[in-house]
Amino acid sequence: MTTLSLKKITSAWIITILALFVLAIAFGITMRFNQGANINLDPAKFYSLLTTHGVTMIGIWAVAGMVAVNYLLARYVPVSTSLNVFAFILTVVGVVMLWVTTFIGHFHAAWTFLYPLPFYVAWEKWATPVFLLGLGVLGIGWFVWAVGMMLQILKKYSLRHTFAWQHLTTKHDVAVETPPFILITTVSLIGIIVCLLAAVVLLVLFFAEYFSSGSFVNDPLLMKNLTYFFGHTLANESLYLGLATLYELMPEVSGRPKFKTTWYVALGWNCTMVFVLTAFFHHLYMDFVQPVGFQMIGQLASYFASLPAAAVTAFSVMVLVFKNPIKWSLTNILFFLGVVGWLIGGVGALIDSTVSNNIFLHNTLWVPAHFHTYNAMGNVLFSLAFFNWAANEFVGNQNETKSYSLKIVLLLIGGFGFVLMFYFAGAYSVPRRYSVYPQEFTSAALLASAGAWFACIYLVVILWMFFDIVKKCFKVFSPSY
Ligand code: HEM
């Protein structure tokens, strides 16, 4: 059941996430203008911005997915508001710690904090442990919250039912139906719990070396595997939480019957759960000491992880909208465009994860190109759709009368224009994570400037949505509500 306290904490999350998003976009635009030689940042400042931007974006969109599924989960099982508030407080504390290390402590080892970079202190000495601790605080909050949600699900559905195994048959009469929302939420939460556990191991190993005064040294290959297992999995599971929200809300706001769990939906998501946990190996193709078997698993799992979820979702969404009377609104347009962005970014990712292409594309701007596509034009749109729907829910009116066409046009021009400049640069082998491009890359600065201007258009739309959504969210805090 949706209580007032659940509405209040969800509103607090939405306002905080959107405010952090606006700031993180501004950091991104600043970096892109610097790469375009329109402004001239000190390199250490550029890398502090890169670190803050990356860690903030990954964090807020992972947690946005959890906020959405937590709210919608209340339709099926009781959810704990205290755990939600606990995660919120730890998130705020964690973000403050991280931002203090980057803006005051000048920590700039990028959001992946790849071992042993954080130990090569080129910033305040305290910033390394505080950055790692900040990550730990975020991780604890989200881990406890995710476990809490899983336990609530398991109180109502058996393990077999949460994975929808009873649907893996062509028979139509299953005794207990698993809603797609429960299946996808389970798959995603399990992935999140496992990757946060890996993060705990990683942080413990970092601290063990930090406090050992040189008597304990980590294995860099193990550390890199753990880092990417954590980072890649978290980024992917965030997307899947967005898809859980889509499965629950898109038919409802479109005035269509709810999605059902069929055998192919059950099979697709079960496969995704297994393969997504091993796809991260594609980040280590250039680490020649990595056993060859893992490299093969990396390539195969990259294909197998994305295809079932993508194919099943694309099919389900096409069936929903094709030749059916749809009640279009900003919410379902955002869901629809999010699927398009996710699929385009997914194809970009598959091209890069193919070993023969990766030789050329590895660590070029092709990498930010594909992950910005399925984030800025995919996962972010899923969460914005939820935020817009929730804000309307808070004021009790899903029938928006305002036209949203201009918002959508600007979003498409700004968002796809911004990522297209990354793709062009990647195709020209421009390296990623450069503050200023070497002169040999003749078109890199021009593409960066163009990307920055497109991103400004994207920012305008986000600010526009921010004001519309936040105004409604504040209503739940009014004493007369
Ligand atoms: C229009 C909005 C955005 C702008 C202008 C922007 C800009 C940038 C730029 C310029 C970079 C550095 C690229 C490089 O040279 O390697 C970057 C990296 C990154 N961005 Fe964004 N970005 C935006 C949205 C997002 C979103 C929505 C996410 C969500 C996850 C995101 C996550 C990241 C991450 C993880 C990195 C890598 C950081 C690192 O290498 O440590 N960005 N972004």
Side-chain angles (χ1 to χ4, degrees):
M1 207 187 74
T2 311
T3 57
L4 179 60
S5 51
L6 180 59
K7 285 186 181 174
K8 280 188 177 167
I9 184 66
T10 306
S11 289
W13 274 114
I14 295 176
I15 296 165
T16 312
I17 289 171
L18 285 178
L20 287 173
F21 186 39
V22 168
L23 292 174
I25 295 178
F27 301 155
I29 292 176
T30 311
M31 285 189 286
R32 213 67 187 117
F33 274 130
N34 193 64
Q35 292 172 328
N38 303 89
I39 55 172
N40 186 12
L41 288 177
D42 172 65
K45 280 222 171 64
F46 175 90
Y47 287 106
S48 286
L49 280 184
L50 181 70
T51 308
T52 321
H53 170 85
V55 77
T56 307
M57 288 292 198
I58 292 288
I60 57 176
W61 296 114
V63 88
M66 290 178 69
V67 172
V69 297
N70 185 268
Y71 189 86
L72 296 170
L73 204 54
R75 293 174 162 194
Y76 298 94
V77 296
V79 292
S80 159
T81 309
S82 337
L83 271 190
N84 197 333
V85 173
F86 169 78
F88 181 75
I89 294 171
L90 261 63
T91 302
V92 172
V93 173
V95 170
V96 171
M97 287 171 78
L98 294 174
W99 281 38
V100 165
T101 65
T102 52
F103 286 123
I104 300 177
H106 310 294
F107 181 83
H108 54 268
W111 92 272
T112 43
F113 53 98
L114 193 60
Y115 176 87
L117 203 52
F119 291 148
Y120 286 91
V121 177
W123 41 77
E124 300 292 337
K125 203 164 178 282
W126 54 264
T128 293
V130 177
F131 184 87
L132 297 173
L133 263 181
L135 288 177
V137 170
L138 291 181
I140 292 169
W142 301 346
F143 177 79
V144 173
W145 194 21
V147 170
M149 280 194 252
M150 247 348 277
L151 291 178
Q152 287 305 112
I153 294 176
L154 288 172
K155 275 190 194 158
K156 177 162 173 190
Y157 299 91
S158 69
L159 200 57
R160 184 170 168 271
H161 290 150
T162 55
F163 289 119
W165 287 338
Q166 79 280 24
H167 289 280
L168 289 175
T169 141
T170 44
K171 271 196 277 164
H172 295 294
D173 53 341
V174 281
V176 179
E177 289 221 2
T178 305
F181 175 76
I182 294 293
L183 165 67
I184 306 169
T185 299
T186 302
V187 165
S188 316
L189 286 179
I190 288 180
I192 286 189
I193 291 169
V194 175
C195 79
L196 289 177
L197 279 175
V200 172
V201 176
L202 183 65
L203 291 178
V204 168
L205 290 174
F206 259 115
F207 279 114
E209 180 165 341
Y210 187 79
F211 290 114
S212 76
S213 325
S215 60
F216 172 74
V217 177
N218 278 295
D219 177 335
L221 186 63
L222 174 67
M223 296 296 269
K224 189 165 183 184
N225 272 287
L226 281 171
T227 304
Y228 281 100
F229 177 73
F230 153 68
H232 178 90
T233 311
L234 185 69
N236 276 265
E237 302 295 356
S238 314
L239 247 159
Y240 298 155
L241 289 173
L243 288 175
T245 314
L246 176 150
Y247 271 79
E248 179 67 16
L249 289 181
M250 194 170 171
E252 185 176 309
V253 291
S254 307
R256 304 289 310 153
K258 263 180 161 327
F259 283 133
K260 288 225 176 304
T261 303
T262 52
W263 67 266
Y264 55 85
V265 170
L267 183 66
W269 282 99
N270 274 272
C271 290
T272 297
M273 185 179 70
V274 178
F275 291 122
V276 80
L277 296 178
T278 43
F280 79 94
F281 284 130
H282 63 222
H283 285 277
L284 287 100
Y285 287 155
M286 294 293 165
D287 295 85
F288 303 116
V289 286
Q290 178 90 328
V292 178
F294 288 167
Q295 310 287 33
M296 290 175 172
I297 295 175
Q299 171 150 351
L300 292 174
S302 305
Y303 285 116
F304 293 147
S306 41
L307 287 181
V312 165
T313 307
F315 179 70
S316 305
V317 169
M318 284 321 289
V319 169
L320 181 90
V321 298
F322 191 63
K323 286 195 174 169
N324 280 324
I326 295 288
K327 224 173 90 195
W328 286 108
S329 64
L330 183 57
T331 302
N332 54 8
I333 294 251
L334 287 171
F335 274 132
F336 185 81
L337 292 178
V339 173
V340 175
W342 171 48
L343 293 178
I344 297 175
V347 172
L350 282 184
I351 293 175
D352 189 24
S353 70
T354 306
V355 174
S356 51
N357 299 332
N358 192 265
I359 290 169
F360 299 102
L361 297 175
H362 194 86
N363 274 350
T364 66
L365 283 177
W366 191 272
V367 181
H370 73 66
F371 73 69
H372 278 93
T373 314
Y374 60 65
N375 279 308
M377 293 306 285
N379 193 21
V380 169
L381 303 197
F382 296 149
S383 287
L384 286 178
F386 169 75
F387 291 174
N388 187 61
W389 173 85
N392 287 341
E393 198 71 358
F394 298 156
V395 293
N397 181 13
Q398 286 295 346
N399 294 320
E400 292 177 357
T401 46
K402 278 199 229 156
S403 164
Y404 47 80
S405 337
L406 184 60
K407 274 187 195 148
I408 294 298
V409 171
L410 292 178
L411 183 73
L412 291 175
I413 296 176
F416 282 121
F418 161 63
V419 292
L420 200 60
M421 298 306 116
F422 272 149
Y423 281 111
F424 284 152
Y428 281 121
S429 301
V430 177
R432 67 182 289 201
R433 290 182 176 155
Y434 266 53
S435 161
V436 178
Y437 296 117
Q439 282 178 349
E440 286 73 13
F441 296 101
T442 45
S443 52
L446 188 67
L447 290 171
S449 277
W453 286 113
F454 279 119
C456 289
I457 302 177
Y458 182 89
L459 177 61
V460 169
V461 192
I462 297 300
L463 276 171
W464 193 352
M465 290 193 197
F466 172 87
F467 289 118
D468 283 352
I469 293 173
V470 165
K471 213 167 48 189
K472 293 176 186 166
C473 285
F474 269 118
K475 294 239 158 84
V476 299
F477 296 105
S478 132
S480 58
Y481 186 75

